[in-house]
Amino acid sequence: MSHSVTLPSTKDIIELERRHRLPGGQSMTDLAGIVVDRAVNAEVWDRDGKRYIDFFTGVGVSNIGHSHPAFLEQLTTQLSRCAVGTFYTDVRSRYFALLAAQLPEQLGEIHMFSTGSEAVEAAVKLARAATGKHEIVSFWGGFHGKTQGALSLHGGPRKHRSGPFPPGSHQVPYADCYHCPLQLEHPECGQRCVDLAEQSIENGSVGDLAAVIVEPVQGTNGNIIPPEGYLRRLRQLADRHGALLILDEVITGFGRTGALFAFEHDPGIAPDVVVLGKAMASGVPASAIVSRSGLVEGTSFAVPSAAASTFGGNPLASAASLATLRVLLDERLPERAHELGKSVSDRLSAWREEFPFVGNADNIGLMIGVELMDPATRLPLPKGITRRLFQELMARGVLAMAYDSRIRLYPPLSIPTHHLEEGMAAFEGAFRAMAPVISRL
Ligand code: PMP
């Protein structure tokens, strides 16, 4: 008697998931409509055997590329020994030492969590405990996660209809030069937006500022790169108010911008707290805050168990984080991101020349943002059009956050050059296919 096993089809799998799924998940899941089978470095295969170049990488999670052999080996070894946390482990001690060695000496204290949002919440709690004050300044267009506290820091419509939020949160303009809030030009502006932020704090705050939290490059807002010296100005602003400077490096960290951490691009900057996540453990949920030594001593944050969480820093997360950092350093992937970023910059200039609907297009390392606009009105391209562009890219075998007018690309830092080329060429093909449609708008 023969037993034939019928494997569920792509359609069956999607239908089964949708039947049980609570709405509100990542929009790209349904837009792509694929079932992922496996992934290696910058390539992803779906269940029907179609292969894609991955410029999405789970929103910048796979900096070392999918399924890196050293990562797999260390993770499976740890999995077979112990996965559950709480006690001291060799692997976490080695991770702390290696991470601390990459950071300025004063950033010596690390605590691990599981998600970026959780680490942001902890950073805010730390700032409140350390300063004894409660207000937090964040930025227009800034994004720090979707838990209630993190969402209260968001500077945009994502938080609409989700309140009320914890009190004491102020949003001030960011140095988004292409869309300057003051309609000035850099560098003649002298970064007037920082003065405006200061005025806004003077007028809106009750004089109890605990922290300024900022993304060194705004990821969710479209990979918006502020001008040189901006973070230094924010450091001074925080100091004037006796507030901590928290850098949210959840997206920018671990080599994405061509340095291990984005704040390294500005040698004059000394953050009090750095928030890490996403690429930290290459897909195993892990995040962290790293803080200036001694900040929380004797405060409510430091009470035993006060900052602990079930999965934070467990042996599996620690092994994944250690393996990831080792690969990043051994393979010099931040430097590689910087080098590849140069060729990306050239390509983006060519796009701005050739395609009238490409507006702001800029990159720092392999953190790449491309804004699409209606050439006649300079308004963002409508969703109907950008979603067609997304489908054009899928058809050409590229996965990318290209479904709205602010395209964000996060290829692995380990992407082979010819795969980067292939992906960028697919964009050009998709842009050319869409050009007649856009010109008829
Ligand atoms: N901070 C930044 C800068 C982020 O980009 C994100 C996620 N996009 C978060 C925090 C939240 O991270 P998570 O989704 O892991 O909670």
Side-chain angles (χ1 to χ4, degrees):
M1 204 171 69
S2 76
H3 293 277
S4 66
V5 181
T6 321
L7 294 173
S9 68
T10 291
K11 189 164 161 281
D12 294 337
I13 293 169
I14 292 175
E15 272 176 15
L16 183 61
E17 216 181 284
R18 283 191 182 159
R19 201 177 310 148
H20 296 287
R21 179 183 72 176
L22 191 67
Q26 161 67 256
S27 61
M28 209 167 135
T29 312
D30 284 327
L31 286 174
I34 59 169
V35 175
V36 166
D37 184 42
R38 67 201 166 87
V40 178
N41 201 358
E43 294 173 288
V44 172
W45 285 265
D46 73 13
R47 220 181 132 75
D48 301 319
K50 185 166 165 61
R51 168 262 197 194
Y52 300 88
I53 297 286
D54 192 4
F55 279 4
F56 171 61
T57 58
V59 199
V61 170
S62 308
N63 286 10
I64 64 166
H66 296 285
S67 316
H68 192 289
F71 173 80
L72 294 183
E73 195 201 315
Q74 289 172 55
L75 199 64
T76 44
T77 304
Q78 186 59 52
L79 191 56
S80 64
R81 293 169 72 99
C82 178
V84 175
T86 292
F87 304 109
Y88 286 105
T89 50
D90 173 44
V91 69
R92 191 169 60 197
S93 71
R94 284 188 287 132
Y95 183 59
F96 280 5
L98 189 62
L99 180 59
Q102 313 311 316
L103 289 160
E105 207 183 333
Q106 72 277 10
L107 287 175
E109 297 186 348
I110 305 162
H111 193 97
M112 284 175 73
F113 302 92
S114 304
T115 66
S117 308
E118 194 189 2
V120 164
E121 298 281 347
V124 167
K125 184 168 138 182
L126 179 153
R128 289 186 171 146
T131 61
K133 301 194 280 182
H134 82 283
E135 293 180 297
I136 311 289
V137 164
S138 54
F139 290 82
W140 293 0
F143 181 78
H144 303 282
K146 291 181 189 149
T147 49
Q148 286 296 94
L151 205 52
S152 76
L153 308 171
H154 173 53
R158 237 171 258 270
K159 68 183 177 200
H160 290 178
R161 298 195 293 149
S162 300
F165 294 118
S169 156
H170 300 280
Q171 280 75 54
V172 300
Y174 190 74
D176 180 353
C177 297
Y178 195 80
H179 299 278
C180 175
L182 292 158
Q183 297 183 352
L184 298 173
E185 290 286 329
H186 184 77
E188 294 77 40
C189 65
Q191 299 190 15
R192 265 278 298 135
C193 57
V194 180
D195 303 329
L196 184 61
E198 183 93 54
Q199 279 170 286
S200 170
I201 295 166
E202 292 293 335
N203 288 293
S205 149
V206 295
D208 202 44
L209 210 63
V212 173
I213 182 166
V214 65
E215 294 166 85
V217 177
Q218 281 189 336
T220 303
N221 196 27
N223 293 344
I224 305 298
I225 306 160
E228 211 202 309
Y230 180 62
L231 290 184
R232 238 171 301 153
R233 294 281 309 271
L234 297 185
R235 171 76 270 179
Q236 292 158 4
L237 184 150
D239 287 344
R240 276 196 293 278
H241 292 268
L244 303 189
L245 180 66
I246 303 172
L247 296 185
D248 183 343
E249 292 241 23
V250 166
I251 288 197
T252 52
F254 298 107
R256 174 59 53 194
T257 67
L260 191 59
F261 302 107
F263 73 82
E264 292 170 22
H265 294 294
D266 187 342
I269 183 83
D272 297 294
V273 180
V274 180
V275 186
L276 302 171
K278 287 205 188 277
M280 176 167 165
S282 304
V284 173
S287 64
I289 55 173
V290 185
S291 89
R292 189 149 58 73
S293 304
L295 260 186
V296 297
E297 226 173 272
T299 71
S300 57
F301 192 94
V303 170
S305 290
S309 66
T310 303
F311 304 121
N314 75 20
L316 205 59
S318 300
S321 303
L322 180 60
T324 301
L325 185 52
R326 278 217 187 109
V327 170
L328 283 166
L329 298 173
D330 290 351
E331 298 184 7
R332 301 173 57 81
L333 293 180
E335 291 86 341
R336 189 157 197 283
H338 177 72
E339 282 308 311
L340 291 178
K342 290 184 196 161
S343 69
V344 168
S345 295
D346 292 343
R347 203 124 191 174
L348 296 183
S349 316
W351 290 6
R352 285 194 303 266
E353 288 281 307
E354 180 179 348
F355 305 109
F357 49 84
V358 169
N360 192 19
D362 206 355
N363 71 298
I364 176 164
L366 288 179
M367 188 159 183
I368 306 160
V370 179
E371 188 177 349
L372 303 182
M373 57 184 199
D374 180 336
T377 61
R378 299 183 69 80
L379 291 171
L381 274 189
K383 272 213 157 49
I385 300 284
T386 53
R387 292 200 167 163
R388 277 174 68 182
L389 175 74
F390 177 82
Q391 297 305 340
E392 290 285 343
L393 283 163
M394 290 278 299
R396 288 170 172 76
V398 172
L399 295 171
M401 299 182 89
Y403 46 80
D404 71 22
S405 63
R406 291 193 176 190
I407 296 175
R408 304 156 60 195
L409 307 181
Y410 304 104
L413 314 185
S414 53
I415 187 170
T417 317
H418 65 284
H419 285 161
L420 183 62
E421 290 291 318
E422 185 185 331
M424 296 304 263
F427 259 92
E428 281 147 23
F431 281 159
R432 283 185 196 121
M434 291 302 294
V437 183
I438 297 171
S439 69
R440 281 199 300 273
L441 274 177

